[in-house]
């Protein structure tokens, strides 16, 4: 559907290089591609403009364009900017000093508030063992109350409702009494969808806020939102002390640029993303992943899907169990690499990875299966014990010298491999904490590939960037 | 880092631009690069998308040169015309004859399908038609109850089963009921589905097949409901829903927001799917047949 930014950039830069000399005009073409990618991703147009302007300055100034990996570098600059804007780590949900903690859900029609309220209730019940009371404060949308009641029943969380004849601020007041009586420590208030230009409903939400003094006011935003996200974010932000954002429908094929706008305007972190209609489809948010998504860097999803189809489910589960127990060894690493090989010809896989699309052509045959052979050779030159306990090799330079000579490689290759293995292991660990099932393991695989972990097989691929902080 | 520091500033400036600079003062402004850039911003803000924006502005620029236009205010009518001509003749509503017209309503989650069905039912009934609705969303919690409320408001009957039942079975029942009762318009609700979920799109194909088998030539209309606040993803929605369900028209909802749904221009241009209805609110009356003229007017209301 969308061309990949990195590929398009590489084309643009390839053209530039063949000319040998760069003019401002040449740079323009590359910048146009970046701007197009950002706009296609629904990044706000003023941001797209600003960002390309900034890159123009950097690109011309730092002789980026002279370099072989110009495209990767430019993508990296944009990526880093995006990650910086999206903010660092995922923020937790607060608890008020005096229970019950109130979480108020707000947003426009159909964004996913009711669904997110229930998902959140389930999440807090299961992971933080909170006692949650859901409150049906949408008296306008037909069957909104039933919708929440059905979801509540599904997840085993109580729902407080008073029909459609009581005013929402009153309902919320009564719900708080009920929560105190019933020993609930957390109250999640589902509100009606409202347009930011609907003065009456905005006032109503202020009244709800006044009676409930929420600890969290979460703005629920559909990830597919376009340029109008700026107006929504601004209006809600102006009137309410928002504390976070829930980005829904991230399971769509949207690039999600609106998130950038919302994050920036409200200054609030995205606390969760919705990734499906079912109650367990709520995930923590990783800024770097959104950045790659906006840029269309690498068709990582395709790769994940391919991986799912190719890679043995049992093996994946087995691997994940190992990861969780922190037993991931170099032997497993090798298995992983061989799995990757099974996905298809390396150059095809590389095409799906960010920044690697055109590399093969640029650097002749540098990137091919021989790289993989090299890694195999290194690992096979280790003793079994070393493979199972990579720390042995990491700690001993004499072992590394031996392995290098045994595999016909340089010590530097061995070091690089170990480092990449270590990075990969860390990544996997992060991932395995996230959820269950092989889907997660596979996205772990794809992500480690993406951030260069699997780059062990292609050490010359370049453009490796440290992302996770 | 300051990258986005100027963001808000630029934003409010952009807005002033439309109303003030491009407004009254526009009359005296000479046409220059800046004017085109501002028009570009206006189009991009409306989710027209870069490609379409560029195409529109090139056409305008060419025409402006040909007509030797000099002041900026002369450009807006040109742009409006360009939009109208891209959007084509008003595809106007649905052609209803005396027989049974089956309308399948599809779209992503939360776009406004069920609400739009309520509004359509009301409208057709107002035209004296015998209307029936089918509760084909058996998945989402309280979707059936929601449709029931709308049907009650419109004063039409619902064919429904319980949550979790097979949507194809519900639609089948509804088709039989429609034939038996001499219904003229059957509106079929479906569960919201994201266009990138192959299994859900396949389910839609199956629904279509069931309908075609029971009523030759049906569904007569496959209405894709698009939320005007959506961005460029709407193109992907239109394309993939067209591929699976042969969409015949679009209902553009939530135009009472500040969004404009400018992606419909690209959808018409690239996929040939016309907008048939626009929805502007949550009451049963808030639905109108689409008019390209009015839409273009609204698109540049601030310009
Ligand atoms: N695929 C997908 N669908 C979602 C997600 N979150 C919500 N939905 C669906 O989006 C639609 C709207 O969700 P609701 O929770 O009813 O939205 P709402 O904001 O409460 O809507 P109003 O109360 O009408 O304003 C439903 O069909 C949900 O199943 C998500 O993360 N992924
Ligand atoms: N402001 C406004 N809200 C609308 C409009 N059309 C629908 N809505 C609201 O949008 C929300 C979702 O509408 P639904 O009709 O439930 O959407 P749907 O596509 O059937 O949703 P799912 O069945 O969950 O996929 C509801 O709160 C509607 O009241 C409109 O034109 N303007
Ligand atoms: Mg709701
Ligand atoms: Mg519906």
């Amino acid at each position: 559907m969308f061309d990949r930014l990195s590929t398009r950039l590489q084309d643009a830069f390839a053209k530039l290089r063949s000319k040998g000399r760069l003019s401002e005009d040449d740079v323009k073409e590359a910048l146009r591609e970046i701007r197009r990618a950002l706009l296609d991703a629904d990044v706000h147009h003023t941001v797209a403009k600003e960002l390309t302007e900034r890159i123009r300055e950097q690109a011309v100034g730092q002789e980026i364009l002279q370099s072989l990996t110009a495209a990767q570098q430019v993508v990296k600059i944009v990526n880093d900017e995006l990650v910086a804007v999206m903010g660092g780590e995922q923020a937790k949900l607060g608890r008020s000093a005096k229970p019950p903690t109130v979480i108020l859900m707000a947003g426009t029609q159909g964004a996913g508030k009711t669904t997110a309220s229930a998902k959140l209730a389930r999440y807090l019940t299961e992971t933080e063992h909170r006692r949650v009371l859901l409150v049906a404060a949408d008296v306008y949308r037909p069957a909104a109350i039933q919708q929440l009641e059905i979801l509540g029943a599904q997840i085993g969380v109580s729902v407080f409702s008073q029909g459609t004849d009581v005013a929402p601020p009153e309902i919320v007041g009564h719900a708080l009494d009920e929560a105190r009586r019933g020993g609930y420590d957390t109250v999640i208030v589902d509100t009606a969808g409202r347009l930011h230009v609907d003065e009456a409903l905005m006032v109503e939400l202020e009244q709800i806020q006044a009676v409930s003094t929420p600890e969290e006011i979460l703005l629920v935003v559909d990830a597919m939102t376009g340029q109008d996200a700026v107006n929504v974010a601004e209006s809600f932000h102006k009137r309410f002390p928002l504390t976070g954002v829930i980005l829904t429908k991230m399971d769509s094929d949207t690039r999600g640029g609106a998130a950038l706008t919302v994050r920036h305007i409200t200054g609030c972190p995205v606390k969760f993303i919705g990734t499906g209609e079912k109650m367990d489809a709520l995930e923590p948010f990783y800024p770097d992943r959104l950045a790659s998504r906006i840029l269309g860097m690498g068709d990582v999803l395709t790769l994940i899907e391919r991986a799912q189809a190719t890679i043995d489910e049992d093996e994946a589960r087995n691997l994940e169990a190992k990861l969780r127990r922190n037993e991931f060894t170099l032997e497993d690493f090798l298995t992983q690499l061989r799995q990757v090989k099974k996905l298809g010809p390396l150059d095809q896989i590389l095409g799906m990875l960010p920044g690697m699309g055109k590399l093969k052509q640029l650097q002749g045959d540098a990137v091919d299966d021989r790289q993989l052979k090299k890694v195999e050779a290194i690992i096979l030159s280790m003793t079994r014990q070393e493979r199972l306990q990579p720390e042995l090799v990491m700690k001993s330079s004499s072992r590394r010298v031996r392995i290098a000579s045994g595999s016909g490689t340089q010590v530097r290759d061995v070091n690089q491999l170990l480092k990449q293995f270590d990075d990969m292991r860390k990544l996997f660990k992060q991932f395995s904490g996230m959820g269950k099932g092989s889907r997660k393991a596979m996205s772990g695989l794809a992500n480690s590939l993406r951030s260069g972990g699997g780059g062990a097989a292609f050490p010359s691929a370049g453009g490796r960037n440290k992302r996770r902080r | 880092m300051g990258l986005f520091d100027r963001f808000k500033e630029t934003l409010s400036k952009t807005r002033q631009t439309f109303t003030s600079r491009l407004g009254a003062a526009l009359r005296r402004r000479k046409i220059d690069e800046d004017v085109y850039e501002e028009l570009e911003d206006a189009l991009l803000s409306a989710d027209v998308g870069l490609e379409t924006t560029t195409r529109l502005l090139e056409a305008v620029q060419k025409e402006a040169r040909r007509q030797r236009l000099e002041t900026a205010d002369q450009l807006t009518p040109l742009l409006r015309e360009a939009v109208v001509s891209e959007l084509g003749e008003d595809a106007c509503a649905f052609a209803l004859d005396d027989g049974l017209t089956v309308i399948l309503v599809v779209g992503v989650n939360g776009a406004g399908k069920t609400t739009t069905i309520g509004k359509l039912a009301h409208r057709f009934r107002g035209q004296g038609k015998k209307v029936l609705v089918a509760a084909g969303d058996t998945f989402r919690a309280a979707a059936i109850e929601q449709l029931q409320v709308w049907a009650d408001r419109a004063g039409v009957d619902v064919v429904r089963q319980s949550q979790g039942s097979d949507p194809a079975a519900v639609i089948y029942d509804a088709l039989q009921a429609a034939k038996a009762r001499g219904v003229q318009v059957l509106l079929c609700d479906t569960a919201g589905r994201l266009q990138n979920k192959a299994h859900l799109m396949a389910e839609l194909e199956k629904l279509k097949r069931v309908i075609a088998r029971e009523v030759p030539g049906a569904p007569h209309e496959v209405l894709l409901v698009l939320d005007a606040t959506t961005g460029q993803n709407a193109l992907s929605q239109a394309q993939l829903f067209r591929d699976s369900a042969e969409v015949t028209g679009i209902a553009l909802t939530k135009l009472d927001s500040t969004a404009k749904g400018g992606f419909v221009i690209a959808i018409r241009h690239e996929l040939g799917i016309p907008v048939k209805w626009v929805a502007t609110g949550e009451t049963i009356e808030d639905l109108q047949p689409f008019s390209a003229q009015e839409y273009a007017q609204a698109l540049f209301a601030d310009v």
Side-chain angles (χ1 to χ4, degrees):
Chain A
M1 172 74 40
F2 302 93
D3 300 56
R4 270 175 266 124
L5 173 66
S6 51
T7 316
R8 293 207 312 231
L9 272 182
Q10 274 152 12
D11 284 341
F13 283 105
K15 252 184 264 163
L16 297 188
R17 260 191 304 278
S18 65
K19 289 175 67 180
R21 191 173 49 86
L22 294 177
S23 69
E24 283 254 355
D25 270 1
D26 295 332
V27 179
K28 255 194 199 150
E29 182 176 345
L31 293 178
R32 243 203 328 266
E33 292 297 340
I34 297 174
R35 177 153 175 261
R36 172 139 64 120
L38 294 171
L39 288 172
D40 281 353
D42 298 315
V43 170
H44 196 269
H45 66 92
T46 60
V47 174
K49 202 179 271 181
E50 184 85 20
L51 198 51
T52 36
E53 181 51 32
R54 180 172 278 244
I55 293 161
R56 193 183 61 76
E57 285 161 15
Q58 291 200 28
V60 176
Q62 296 178 355
E63 295 169 17
I64 273 181
L65 300 167
Q66 313 300 331
S67 135
L68 250 177
T69 55
Q72 281 78 38
Q73 287 190 47
V74 171
V75 170
K76 183 174 165 4
I77 292 175
V78 185
N79 185 67
D80 290 353
E81 297 275 13
L82 297 183
V83 174
V85 173
M86 287 313 299
E89 290 307 292
Q90 179 223 0
K92 285 224 138 204
L93 290 176
R95 277 185 203 244
S96 12
K98 202 167 129 256
T101 298
V102 177
I103 301 174
L104 184 57
M105 310 291 273
T108 55
Q109 285 90 347
K113 297 171 295 300
T114 306
T115 309
S117 301
K119 286 177 180 176
L120 205 54
R122 177 186 174 276
Y123 174 86
L124 292 176
T125 309
E126 293 204 349
T127 62
E128 298 185 16
H129 308 292
R130 297 207 204 179
R131 284 205 66 208
V132 181
L133 181 64
L134 277 162
V135 182
D138 176 358
V139 299
Y140 308 105
R141 165 165 167 175
I145 297 172
Q146 276 145 295
Q147 185 187 359
L148 192 66
E149 280 171 347
I150 291 172
L151 296 177
Q154 244 174 53
I155 56 175
V157 170
S158 318
V159 176
F160 181 88
S161 65
Q162 295 192 307
T164 54
D165 293 333
V166 183
E170 243 178 281
I171 295 176
V172 173
H174 296 153
L176 289 177
D177 295 340
E178 169 71 16
R180 284 183 206 107
R181 260 199 310 273
Y184 293 96
D185 55 26
T186 302
V187 172
I188 300 177
V189 183
D190 177 32
T191 64
R194 63 202 74 220
L195 293 177
H196 48 286
V197 284
D198 188 332
E199 187 54 28
L201 282 186
M202 290 299 264
V203 168
E204 182 201 88
L205 197 59
E206 281 170 348
Q207 291 165 347
I208 293 178
Q209 187 204 345
V211 299
S212 62
T213 52
E215 176 71 18
E216 297 272 358
I217 305 181
L218 302 178
L219 183 64
V220 181
V221 180
D222 184 329
M224 297 180 283
T225 309
Q227 300 280 319
D228 194 49
V230 69
N231 296 318
V232 175
E234 238 178 14
S235 328
F236 276 94
H237 174 60
K238 238 186 261 162
R239 296 181 86 136
F240 302 99
L242 302 176
T243 58
V245 172
I246 296 185
L247 202 56
T248 63
K249 308 180 200 175
M250 281 292 276
D251 48 328
S252 68
D253 62 2
T254 185
R255 292 254 182 263
L260 200 75
T261 307
V262 175
R263 169 73 173 94
H264 181 67
I265 295 280
T266 63
C268 294
V270 175
K271 295 200 169 176
F272 291 96
I273 59 172
T275 55
E277 297 174 74
K278 304 232 172 83
M279 288 297 102
D280 58 358
L282 187 75
E283 293 179 22
F285 172 73
Y286 298 100
D288 52 346
R289 262 183 250 169
L290 184 80
S292 316
R293 182 166 173 158
I294 288 175
L295 291 175
M297 297 217 316
D299 205 343
V300 175
L301 278 176
T302 313
L303 191 62
I304 293 171
E305 267 152 31
R306 190 94 79 77
Q308 267 179 311
T310 321
I311 291 173
D312 189 356
E313 288 263 330
D314 287 346
E315 192 147 14
R317 212 159 293 147
N318 191 1
L319 185 71
E320 201 189 294
K322 280 183 164 176
L323 285 164
R324 205 163 291 153
R325 295 193 303 264
N326 202 12
E327 291 170 4
F328 188 61
T329 67
L330 274 164
E331 213 154 64
D332 300 315
F333 186 47
L334 188 60
T335 313
Q336 280 278 293
L337 287 177
R338 287 175 172 159
Q339 293 271 26
V340 169
K341 212 168 139 189
K342 270 204 292 191
L343 288 177
L346 261 185
D347 54 352
Q348 213 188 327
I349 298 173
L350 286 177
M352 293 185 218
L353 294 176
M356 294 189 180
K358 283 283 152 70
L359 225 83
K360 194 172 151 119
Q361 280 143 271
L362 289 181
Q363 307 192 338
D365 280 337
V367 182
D368 62 19
D369 294 277
R370 275 181 300 171
Q371 300 285 350
L372 187 54
K373 293 230 172 65
K374 193 153 137 185
V375 174
E376 256 179 333
I378 293 174
I379 296 179
L380 293 174
S381 295
M382 297 176 185
T383 64
R384 185 164 159 76
Q385 210 191 6
E386 285 168 339
R387 270 179 256 151
L388 298 179
Q389 289 174 265
E391 284 70 25
L392 292 176
V393 190
M394 290 177 183
K395 280 191 210 126
S396 154
S397 63
S398 63
R399 281 181 197 258
R400 274 174 279 157
V401 171
R402 193 205 76 232
I403 291 165
S405 76
S407 58
T409 59
Q410 308 288 316
V411 175
R412 133 171 81 81
D413 295 327
V414 179
N415 288 340
Q416 193 176 9
L417 168 66
L418 289 169
K419 162 123 196 13
Q420 278 159 343
F421 165 74
D422 201 40
D423 284 349
M424 189 177 186
R425 191 162 54 171
K426 281 186 199 132
L427 272 171
F428 266 89
K429 238 178 109 187
Q430 275 195 13
F431 257 90
S432 57
M434 250 176 61
K436 302 170 193 86
S438 60
R439 163 99 197 188
K440 293 284 154 35
M442 286 311 108
S443 44
L445 164 67
N447 273 281
S448 68
L449 285 169
R450 185 152 60 95
S451 37
F458 348 103
S460 55
R464 296 189 59 237
N465 32 23
K466 263 242 154 313
R467 295 215 194 92
R468 283 173 198 272
R469 283 163 296 162
Chain B
M1 295 218 58
L3 166 64
F4 291 79
D5 284 357
R6 273 197 277 150
F7 185 25
K8 275 181 221 173
E9 217 180 287
T10 335
L11 281 177
S12 46
K13 236 191 322 194
T14 315
R15 238 169 270 142
Q16 277 166 18
T17 301
F18 299 164
T19 44
S20 58
R21 265 208 289 169
L22 275 182
L26 203 64
R27 257 182 289 279
R28 271 166 286 119
R29 263 182 83 190
K30 273 209 145 352
I31 296 173
D32 56 14
E33 273 296 303
D34 284 353
V35 170
Y36 280 110
E37 205 173 310
E38 281 161 27
L39 288 175
E40 182 180 82
D41 285 348
L43 289 165
L44 291 176
S45 301
D47 293 304
V48 171
L50 186 59
E51 216 174 289
T52 307
T53 295
T54 310
R55 192 176 63 243
L56 287 172
L57 288 180
E58 273 166 6
V60 166
Q61 193 157 18
K62 212 166 119 195
E63 188 60 19
R65 283 213 195 95
R66 200 182 62 78
Q67 295 185 23
R68 298 176 196 282
L69 300 183
E70 284 177 356
T71 57
D73 64 322
Q74 295 172 300
L75 292 180
T76 345
L78 281 189
L79 192 51
R80 229 175 268 143
E81 272 165 43
V83 170
V84 171
S85 88
E86 290 248 343
L87 284 171
E89 296 293 303
D90 292 346
C92 221
F94 298 146
L96 301 180
D97 49 34
D98 286 339
L100 171 61
T101 301
V102 181
I103 302 168
L104 182 65
V105 180
V106 302
V108 297
N109 308 76
K113 295 175 291 300
T114 307
T115 309
T116 302
I117 286 176
K119 294 171 181 175
L120 283 171
H122 171 70
R123 177 175 269 269
F124 294 142
R125 226 195 80 121
Q127 294 170 0
K129 302 281 181 193
K130 193 163 165 53
V131 181
L132 183 68
V133 299
D137 180 355
T138 57
F139 180 77
R140 214 212 55 219
I144 300 166
E145 290 80 355
Q146 183 190 3
L147 186 68
Q148 182 72 58
V149 172
W150 278 110
D152 292 347
R153 286 178 185 175
V156 305
D157 285 343
V158 184
V159 172
R160 51 184 282 184
Q161 292 182 9
S162 54
Q163 196 186 340
S165 55
D166 178 6
V170 178
I171 302 284
Y172 178 86
D173 278 1
L175 288 162
Q176 303 313 320
K179 285 191 278 189
R181 299 181 207 171
V183 163
Q184 289 162 297
V185 182
L186 172 64
L187 291 155
C188 305
D189 195 9
T190 60
R193 68 198 74 221
L194 295 176
Q195 72 274 17
N196 55 334
K197 304 210 163 159
H199 63 292
L200 295 180
M201 298 309 275
E203 182 190 273
L204 210 51
E205 286 170 31
K206 182 178 162 198
L207 288 184
K208 255 202 94 193
R209 280 200 302 276
V210 169
I211 295 172
R213 203 173 55 213
E214 296 309 310
V215 178
H220 306 85
E221 299 279 353
V222 178
L223 188 65
L224 172 64
V225 178
L226 295 178
D227 179 337
T229 65
T230 310
Q232 297 307 300
N233 190 253
L235 269 74
S236 156
Q237 292 173 23
Q239 185 168 339
L240 295 178
F241 273 100
R242 184 202 60 173
D243 292 351
S244 299
E246 294 161 272
V247 173
T248 59
I250 288 166
L252 188 60
T253 62
K254 310 188 194 174
L255 272 175
D256 48 327
S257 67
T258 43
K260 302 267 167 63
F263 47 76
V264 294
I265 303 171
I267 291 177
R268 177 74 207 237
H269 182 84
E270 281 164 34
L271 305 172
I273 308 171
V275 183
K276 297 202 170 178
W277 300 94
V278 293
T280 51
E282 295 179 272
T283 77
I284 204 157
E285 305 285 347
D286 293 326
L287 184 80
Q288 286 123 45
F290 175 74
S291 146
Q293 284 286 350
E294 280 171 32
Y295 179 76
Q297 199 76 34
L299 199 55
F300 305 108
D302 307 327
V303 178

